[in-house]
Amino acid sequence: MLFENYVEVQNYYKSQPWIALLLLGFALLFLLRQFGETYIQPLFFASVYSAMAAYHKECRELKRQHFDSMKNQQSADPELRKKGVLRILEIGPGPGYNFEFYPANSQLTVAEVNPFFQKQFFAQQSQYPHIKMERFIVGFAEDMKDVEDNSVDIVVSTMVLCSVRSIERALKEIQRVLVPGGKYYYWEHIREAEYKSVLFVQHLFSYTFYDLVFGCKLNRTSDEVIKNDKGFSQVDQQRFRTPLKGGLYAILIIHSSHVKGIATK
């Protein structure tokens, strides 16, 4: 009797393949919810991030112009200022695409939540001997307890605020570690403001699979949050679009809306 019931159930599922797919989907969702943030998603993201090299290549000159004023900044520390040294903290450096924009004699500390980026990061860092690597800290932007108060001249984040747990808490930490008058250089993709169809896709992706797979929310208004934050004495920012191509690159329109800016503590 038990065997007959088993065969009957088996035949039913064979005739209804969508049920098996649905169960598989729920199982994958459960695994991502349980282990995605701590292991699966970081490992996957670090593995596929090399595809971002194309994005970096297309945006290189725009980023170079954005970071160009950094060379005119001076350290708040008198001794370091005499030596022309600038203390920089980069949040979420990934594989280290921003090394080329930093002034010579920079002292660099990084806070990276994804430990799987370390190998790529240090391979990239070896190509820039004029930058002194201070520390590689594995941790969240919202809790950089290993970085002292008023200890860095410049904080940098590129494509980071889309993935932090709380933009407001991350900004408070940035303000805490910056010296008075220190600069926060940011470059972030933001919520679409022009095309409603693109905004719909951003919402759809953000509330379904995109955050689970890539750890990224496409529909954040990081520009507005920074602009309205009272912890900065001045915010200079500009919305813009990254260069787009046809073909498969056209899908990048879902995060082509960007903001770049410099906020002063």
Side-chain angles (χ1 to χ4, degrees):
M1 182 68 178
L2 183 63
F3 177 75
E4 291 177 354
N5 288 339
Y6 171 77
V7 172
E8 185 178 340
V9 170
Q10 190 178 44
N11 289 335
Y12 175 77
Y13 279 120
K14 284 182 178 179
S15 65
Q16 305 288 338
W18 64 270
I19 296 179
L21 291 174
L22 185 63
L23 291 174
L24 178 62
F26 278 121
L28 289 174
L29 183 61
F30 173 79
L31 288 173
L32 285 171
R33 289 290 186 188
Q34 290 292 109
F35 309 106
E37 187 174 323
T38 58
Y39 188 82
I40 299 174
Q41 187 272 331
L43 178 60
F44 171 76
F45 193 55
S47 301
V48 303
Y49 200 83
S50 58
M52 289 292 289
Y55 167 89
H56 176 69
K57 183 178 179 181
E58 290 297 320
C59 296
R60 175 178 279 126
E61 288 309 311
L62 287 175
K63 292 177 75 175
R64 192 183 306 281
Q65 294 169 20
H66 176 53
F67 290 117
D68 185 60
S69 64
M70 198 179 290
K71 67 178 184 293
N72 300 322
Q73 304 297 329
Q74 293 185 323
S75 177
D77 183 283
E79 294 302 317
L80 294 179
R81 187 163 60 244
K82 291 178 183 178
K83 300 175 183 178
V85 174
L86 203 59
R87 297 167 297 180
I88 300 174
L89 167 67
E90 182 173 0
I91 303 172
Y97 287 139
N98 290 329
F99 275 117
E100 63 180 282
F101 307 122
Y102 294 149
N105 298 324
S106 295
Q107 289 184 354
L108 181 63
T109 296
V110 302
E112 172 59 64
V113 71
N114 190 338
F116 297 105
F117 273 125
Q118 288 191 64
K119 184 177 179 180
Q120 300 175 57
F121 177 86
F122 284 109
Q124 184 82 351
Q125 187 256 335
S126 64
Q127 302 176 37
Y128 298 91
H130 63 284
I131 297 175
K132 182 181 178 182
M133 188 66 205
E134 290 288 302
R135 288 182 295 170
F136 188 106
I137 300 168
V138 177
F140 293 96
E142 303 93 321
D143 184 18
M144 298 184 290
K145 56 182 179 295
D146 293 323
V147 184
E148 297 179 357
D149 297 359
N150 306 308
S151 63
V152 295
D153 303 300
I154 289 175
V155 174
V156 173
S157 77
T158 58
M159 308 287 278
V160 168
L161 297 182
C162 60
S163 59
V164 298
R165 295 172 176 178
S166 167
I167 299 177
E168 291 82 1
R169 284 166 50 202
L171 294 180
K172 286 188 182 302
E173 277 292 87
I174 289 169
Q175 292 156 8
R176 178 184 65 80
V177 302
L178 274 174
V179 298
K183 306 290 185 180
Y184 170 40
Y185 283 74
Y186 54 95
W187 170 292
E188 303 288 342
H189 70 80
I190 55 175
R191 179 180 295 186
E192 177 61 45
E194 185 177 355
Y195 302 110
K196 291 184 178 180
S197 58
V198 175
L199 176 59
F200 172 78
V201 174
Q202 285 183 333
H203 286 318
L204 179 64
F205 283 13
S206 296
Y207 295 130
T208 53
F209 71 93
Y210 213 82
D211 186 27
L212 284 173
V213 176
F214 298 105
C216 166
K217 292 181 173 62
L218 294 165
N219 56 353
R220 283 193 165 169
T221 55
S222 303
D223 54 333
E224 294 297 327
V225 178
I226 296 173
K227 180 181 177 181
N228 295 324
D229 194 292
K230 303 301 182 183
F232 294 115
S233 62
Q234 182 177 347
V235 175
D236 298 306
Q237 65 179 15
Q238 176 187 0
R239 287 185 177 187
F240 68 102
R241 287 194 179 279
T242 52
L244 293 173
K245 293 182 178 180
L248 291 176
Y249 282 96
I251 196 173
L252 295 180
I253 194 173
I254 63 174
H255 57 73
S256 68
S257 183
H258 277 54
V259 64
K260 57 182 177 181
I262 303 173
T264 304
K265 177 178 175 179

